[in-house]
């Protein structure tokens, strides 16, 4: 990749060019800068309720993950084949695999679980684009916690990706438990989420 005068890049491919643009995108602190289907996007801060749910789920995941795994908030997940670089609310990875890519990006195939919590700015792509990208990238489980679902707050656990498509493994309204399968074997009480 060649950079001319610091303002122009001549990349060997579109993915490298998009990553170059993303790295140089100036956004307010706390905003997410993602690549979504080949477009660099900036998402505003989420509301406090969103962060409380993320913290609750993070604590539960941390308790349930094997010792050499980690549950992390806002770790970049790369899906180059979909021209996507996402910053999920939570991601669980095996930390000793050596699969963490250059620049600290986590290849989607290294993730065991991605969790997205909808906000007004991200709800549409959290429900469609991101699970499609994670399935394409080989993430075994994608959990959508959707406090803005049209029928009322709900969750959907996607899994068993095949040819870029997930099956729905579990779904229900807030108040019902989320049952994560092995290797987590974890039940998350959605009745504890704020506003339920």
């Amino acid at each position: 990749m060649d950079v001319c005068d610091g303002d122009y890049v001549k990349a060997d491919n579109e993915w490298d060019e998009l990553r170059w643009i993303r790295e140089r995108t100036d956004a307010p602190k706390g905003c997410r800068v993602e690549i979504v289907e080949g477009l660099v996007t900036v998402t505003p801060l989420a509301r406090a309720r969103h962060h409380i749910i993320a913290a609750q789920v993070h604590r539960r995941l941390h308790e349930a993950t094997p010792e050499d795994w980690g549950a992390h908030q806002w770790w970049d997940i790369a899906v180059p084949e979909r021209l996507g670089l996402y910053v999920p609310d939570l991601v669980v990875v095996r930390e000793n695999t050596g699969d963490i890519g250059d620049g600290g990006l986590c290849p989607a195939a290294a993730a065991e679980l991605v969790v997205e919590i909808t906000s007004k700015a991200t709800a549409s792509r959290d429900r469609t684009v991101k699970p499609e990208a994670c399935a394409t990238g080989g993430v075994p489980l994608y959990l959508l916690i959707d406090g803005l679902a049209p029928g009322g707050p709900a969750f959907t656990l996607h899994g068993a990706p095949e040819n870029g498509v997930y099956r729905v493994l579990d779904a229900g309204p807030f108040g019902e438990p989320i049952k994560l399968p092995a290797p987590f074997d974890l039940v998350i009480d959605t009745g504890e989420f704020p506003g339920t």
Side-chain angles (χ1 to χ4, degrees), residues 170-190:
D170 192 14
F174 281 15
E176 289 186 13
I178 300 169
K179 298 171 188 155
L180 293 179
F184 301 98
D185 293 321
L186 173 67
V187 175
I188 299 171
D189 182 1
T190 63

Side-chain angles (χ1 to χ4, degrees), residues 129-194:
V129 175
K130 289 184 180 181
E132 291 167 5
C134 287
T136 299
V139 178
L141 296 169
Y142 180 94
L143 174 59
L144 176 66
I145 299 174
D146 193 350
L148 303 172
F155 68 89
T156 306
L157 177 62
H158 303 271
E162 189 174 316
N163 298 320
V165 178
Y166 280 123
R167 281 188 311 121
V168 173
L169 302 180
D170 192 14
F174 281 15
E176 289 186 13
I178 300 169
K179 298 171 188 155
L180 293 179
F184 301 98
D185 293 321
L186 173 67
V187 175
I188 299 171
D189 182 1
T190 63
E192 295 178 356
F193 293 166

Side-chain angles (χ1 to χ4, degrees), residues 19 68-72 74-78 91-113:
R19 285 187 49 207
D68 61 338
W69 293 22
H72 305 276
W74 287 34
W75 192 353
D76 300 351
I77 298 293
V91 62
V92 176
V93 298
R94 295 177 192 247
E95 295 181 336
N96 296 330
T97 64
D99 288 338
I100 305 309
D102 59 346
L105 298 178
C106 179
E112 297 295 328
L113 167 69

